[in-house]
Amino acid sequence: MARFWFCVAGAGCFLALLVLHSRIRDSPVLREFVFQVSWRTENVLYRLDVGWPKHSEYFTGVTFCVAVDSLNGLVYIAQRGENIQKVLVFTEDGYFLRAWNYTVDTPHGMFATRTLHEQSIWITDVGSDFMVLWVHGENGTGPAKFNIPHSVTVDSAGRVWVADRGNRRIQVFDKDTGEWLGAWNNCFTEEGPSSVRFTPDWKYLIVAQLNLSRLLFVAAPPVGSIGYCSVISSIQLADQVLPHLLDISGKTGAIYVAEIGARQVQKYVPLNSYFRSFHS
């Protein structure tokens, strides 16, 4: 008798699983739940810092770009809009310091350079007149040609990594000679990369995908080889968040993401296990 009821219970569980499977196929909420569970089986390296910044009310425009001055612990954010402060300055702890609105019209990208003696903030302003000093490549799909090149970074071996967003690939060049070294496209069949940055330990290349609202953590290749793109982990943001450009603190490894859809910058911090290996 006990065996009979055991079989009945097993059959009932099987039928319940079939019903759940059919509903998951038709329910976006349940599909999202399953995605979140499967995402947690990855090698999760970062978590959202929900307390950053302390004063989000200063985000009054479309946040297009972010740059980190790791030496001084500062985060610069540029936003677009009418009659607003175009550049905001926060501490890495999230405290607002200052803002300004002069000399900047329509910011698109920014980069912070810092030494022990001086610091500079470079802003790409697409609303102002500018002069082209040099250019590499032309519009197209072949090697060393581009379609909306969107972000650039340099690794420890002196290789330049370019987010060739329109061609759904990352192209790699020698920083001194400009020689084309290869490209990655196998990770970007759905959406091209909009931003690329290396973690301070040079183990991972972090890639933002604008329209998918997703961050990818890609294994960095060894010196002397480009190899293939291999995704180690990912962070799926909410729909229409639209991560445009990102930057990484060289001191803490924290990731700052400028989101043009959500009109904010969010901070992701390394988990303790990765943080220990990062500082070892």
Side-chain angles (χ1 to χ4, degrees), residues 174-253:
D174 182 277
K175 76 177 182 67
D176 295 319
T177 66
E179 176 188 0
W180 185 80
L181 302 177
W184 281 353
N185 54 22
N186 57 298
C187 289
F188 311 113
T189 56
E190 296 178 272
E191 166 78 10
S194 64
S195 187
V196 288
R197 285 291 186 272
F198 280 95
T199 53
D201 57 5
W202 305 107
K203 290 183 178 179
Y204 303 102
L205 182 66
I206 302 179
V207 181
Q209 292 180 293
L210 179 71
N211 294 312
L212 292 180
S213 294
R214 183 168 65 187
L215 304 181
L216 300 180
F217 294 77
V218 181
V223 177
S225 171
I226 298 300
Y228 294 93
C229 179
S230 176
V231 176
I232 303 301
S233 184
S234 63
I235 298 176
Q236 182 62 57
L237 310 178
D239 289 343
Q240 300 304 311
V241 163
L242 306 180
H244 186 244
L245 293 173
L246 61 86
D247 204 4
I248 301 177
S249 170
K251 184 177 295 184
T252 66

Side-chain angles (χ1 to χ4, degrees), residues 21-41:
H21 178 265
S22 65
R23 290 185 176 181
I24 285 175
R25 293 179 62 185
D26 298 327
S27 170
V29 175
L30 290 176
R31 283 201 302 270
E32 177 68 14
F33 173 76
V34 170
F35 173 77
Q36 293 294 340
V37 171
S38 65
W39 181 82
R40 286 180 171 82
T41 65

Side-chain angles (χ1 to χ4, degrees), residues 56-278:
S56 60
E57 64 270 18
Y58 288 99
F59 297 144
T60 55
V62 182
T63 48
F64 259 73
C65 48
V66 59
V68 182
D69 176 359
S70 303
L71 190 62
N72 296 295
L74 301 177
V75 180
Y76 293 83
I77 298 165
Q79 55 183 1
R80 294 184 187 180
E82 297 294 332
N83 302 315
I84 65 170
Q85 300 289 345
K86 297 297 179 64
V87 179
L88 311 175
V89 186
F90 291 83
T91 67
E92 284 207 61
D93 293 330
Y95 293 98
F96 175 77
L97 294 179
R98 57 187 178 274
W100 72 80
N101 192 32
Y102 55 88
T103 72
V104 180
D105 183 23
T106 312
H108 187 272
M110 66 193 313
F111 183 76
T113 60
R114 55 269 177 186
T115 68
L116 292 175
H117 306 291
E118 63 178 356
Q119 66 183 86
S120 300
I121 301 297
W122 297 80
I123 300 176
T124 305
D125 190 349
V126 297
S128 301
D129 294 331
F130 62 91
M131 178 184 298
V132 177
L133 300 180
W134 58 267
V135 65
H136 184 23
E138 58 186 20
N139 188 59
T141 59
K145 295 184 178 181
F146 302 98
N147 182 6
I148 316 178
H150 211 260
S151 176
V152 177
T153 192
V154 182
D155 67 15
S156 59
R159 297 174 295 192
V160 178
W161 298 71
V162 182
D164 189 5
R165 178 180 159 197
N167 285 325
R168 297 187 179 184
R169 65 185 177 184
I170 295 176
Q171 296 199 71
V172 190
F173 301 85
D174 182 277
K175 76 177 182 67
D176 295 319
T177 66
E179 176 188 0
W180 185 80
L181 302 177
W184 281 353
N185 54 22
N186 57 298
C187 289
F188 311 113
T189 56
E190 296 178 272
E191 166 78 10
S194 64
S195 187
V196 288
R197 285 291 186 272
F198 280 95
T199 53
D201 57 5
W202 305 107
K203 290 183 178 179
Y204 303 102
L205 182 66
I206 302 179
V207 181
Q209 292 180 293
L210 179 71
N211 294 312
L212 292 180
S213 294
R214 183 168 65 187
L215 304 181
L216 300 180
F217 294 77
V218 181
V223 177
S225 171
I226 298 300
Y228 294 93
C229 179
S230 176
V231 176
I232 303 301
S233 184
S234 63
I235 298 176
Q236 182 62 57
L237 310 178
D239 289 343
Q240 300 304 311
V241 163
L242 306 180
H244 186 244
L245 293 173
L246 61 86
D247 204 4
I248 301 177
S249 170
K251 184 177 295 184
T252 66
I255 306 169
Y256 297 86
V257 185
E259 302 167 348
I260 60 176
R263 296 186 172 218
Q264 65 182 4
V265 170
Q266 293 201 100
K267 177 183 180 181
Y268 293 85
V269 294
L271 296 179
N272 289 334
S273 57
Y274 178 47
F275 186 82
R276 286 192 295 270
S277 65
F278 163 62

